[in-house]
Amino acid sequence: MKYEITDGTLTFGARCILSHVQFAIRGTEKIALVGPNGAGKTTLLRVIAGELSLDADDRRQGPGIVTDRDLTIGMLHQHSFADVSRTVEEELEQHAPVGDGSAFDRERFWYEKEYDTLFTGFGFEKKDKKRKLSEFSGGEQTKIALISLLLDHPDLLLLDEPTNHLDRQGREWFYDQLFHHRGGVLVASHDRELLAQV
């Protein structure tokens, strides 16, 4: 897997947010994006996620963004759920593989097992799956959004301050999940422990 930005520039009105940025991530690299608030970290993540487009630039040779194949990219958003009247189970079922209807469908079995492992690993009880998303705090919703992203196994995982709402146990569990993630990870964070562990 390769994702590369060459000479990337992005402006909002008269304000230049990104100026001739060079960026690359390959394979299963884990990269930290650090800098003061307002430096453009979230903007860069949104460009990589495909939510924002680079400006046309006379200096740049080529398209600006190059990948070696179609990539799946998952990004943790601050407001992750459009419909909080759904239950956790209904939300996470959207990501489940569609089996052949057999009770012994292997892919489905491993999905359910991983789903349970992640869900309880982040401190939830299995019965919480039946609760509506609106019944959870903002921090708990962030955890559920992280579970959803991890279940998708994207080629590239983009995280903006992912540990803000996690307690000590949740952080340690999350560090381990990121460390073993099978794709690339780009994380914007001030959490020094996360950066050191992952």
Side-chain angles (χ1 to χ4, degrees), residues 60-127:
R60 184 173 60 231
Q61 302 293 317
I65 297 175
V66 175
T67 61
D68 60 348
R69 59 181 167 83
D70 284 340
L71 300 178
T72 55
I73 298 174
M75 181 169 171
L76 179 67
H77 292 87
Q78 288 187 342
H79 304 289
S80 300
F81 303 110
D83 184 1
V84 293
S85 68
R86 299 165 66 101
T87 65
V88 173
E89 198 162 53
E90 287 171 334
E91 183 64 35
L92 296 181
E93 280 293 314
Q94 290 187 117
H95 304 268
V98 179
D100 59 10
S102 162
F104 300 101
D105 185 82
R106 249 184 161 174
E107 199 175 350
R108 179 66 187 218
F109 170 79
W110 287 111
Y111 175 85
E112 297 278 350
K113 185 173 169 135
E114 184 178 17
Y115 170 4
D116 284 344
T117 301
L118 289 169
F119 199 66
T120 55
F122 273 111
F124 296 106
E125 296 181 30
K126 287 188 180 181
K127 65 182 180 182

Side-chain angles (χ1 to χ4, degrees), residues 164-178:
N164 277 359
H165 299 289
L166 299 181
D167 59 18
R168 162 59 62 190
Q169 180 184 353
R171 281 171 187 243
E172 290 176 357
W173 171 254
F174 183 54
Y175 299 156
D176 188 61
Q177 293 302 310
L178 280 189

Side-chain angles (χ1 to χ4, degrees), residues 37 41 76 142 159-165 187-191:
N37 291 334
K41 299 185 299 295
L76 179 67
T142 298
L159 304 169
D160 195 356
E161 298 292 352
T163 58
N164 277 359
H165 299 289
V187 58
S189 181
H190 294 102
D191 181 344

